[in-house]
Amino acid sequence: MPDSRILHVNVGAVREVEWRGRLVTTGIWKAPVEGRVALRCVNFAGDDQADRTVHGGPDKAVYAYSREDYDFWREEEGFDTPPGLFGENLTVDGIDLSAALVGERWSVGSTVLEIAQPRMPCFKLGLRVGDAHFPRRFQRAGRPGAYFRVVQEGEVGAGDAVRVLERPDHGITLRYMTEVLTDRGKAAALRAVPNLPEFWDDIAHGRIALE
């Protein structure tokens, strides 16, 4: 990825939003920040998640979405796509995230990040874009973005290059993982991936039934 780079670093605090007659707490509203932003443990400075049982945490510490995938939503689906719309911390350019390998390690700024899993959208993505049915459209599009673990803390800023440090040899991409959700015959192959998040490990070993 010789020309891959960070377009925006996006953060956002938790807020309350009314959704279908009730108040919901969410950190999905994120916006670009200037300068270099510290990444410590599981969060960028100024960023937070409302419920770390399903968002954030070690296996979802950083979420990235690509400019190329945003182009799809803008050109094919008619979306206005400001940076941070889908709640990503890093808006990246020059990267096919769906083709990235689980366990792949990136050097970004002074950090090292490891791809952990694709995004499984919940209702809060629909809340963010004002369409309760959008999470299903997002899932069907096969453009999930990437969740990362933090291997090395540091700082990241817009314009930083993205460099791949390591690529595992199992061949399991984020696209393949999303395909597993609709093709249970592919699930066993996930067992070749070290350090799978619990949800995906359960799928790989048949502890979660797929439709």
Side-chain angles (χ1 to χ4, degrees), residues 39-170:
L39 176 60
R40 301 285 182 262
C41 191
V42 295
N43 264 330
F44 278 103
D47 196 50
D48 204 356
Q49 298 82 36
D51 181 358
R52 291 192 186 170
T53 63
V54 290
H55 303 104
D59 291 330
K60 297 181 179 178
V62 174
Y63 180 54
Y65 206 74
S66 73
R67 188 269 305 166
E68 289 82 357
D69 287 330
Y70 269 138
D71 287 347
F72 165 82
W73 291 108
R74 186 178 64 254
E75 295 167 8
E76 302 297 325
E77 301 286 335
F79 266 79
D80 181 25
T81 56
L85 176 66
F86 291 164
E88 79 274 9
N89 301 111
L90 301 176
T91 312
V92 299
D93 181 53
I95 306 170
D96 182 357
L97 285 175
S98 297
L101 297 172
V102 185
E104 191 171 293
R105 288 192 173 186
W106 292 6
S107 169
V108 185
S110 58
T111 72
V112 175
L113 307 177
E114 180 180 281
I115 295 178
Q117 58 189 313
R119 182 186 194 160
M120 298 277 292
C122 74
F123 79 96
K124 289 183 178 179
L125 181 59
L127 183 157
R128 177 66 181 89
V129 303
D131 179 357
H133 301 290
F134 185 72
R136 290 186 179 182
R137 291 171 60 193
F138 183 89
Q139 190 73 33
R140 288 196 302 267
R143 299 170 182 270
Y147 276 118
F148 292 82
R149 304 180 181 101
V150 178
V151 177
Q152 176 180 299
E153 298 177 340
E155 296 182 343
V156 180
D160 283 352
V162 175
R163 299 182 177 88
V164 176
L165 299 178
E166 299 177 24
R167 285 174 62 87
D169 59 8
H170 52 63

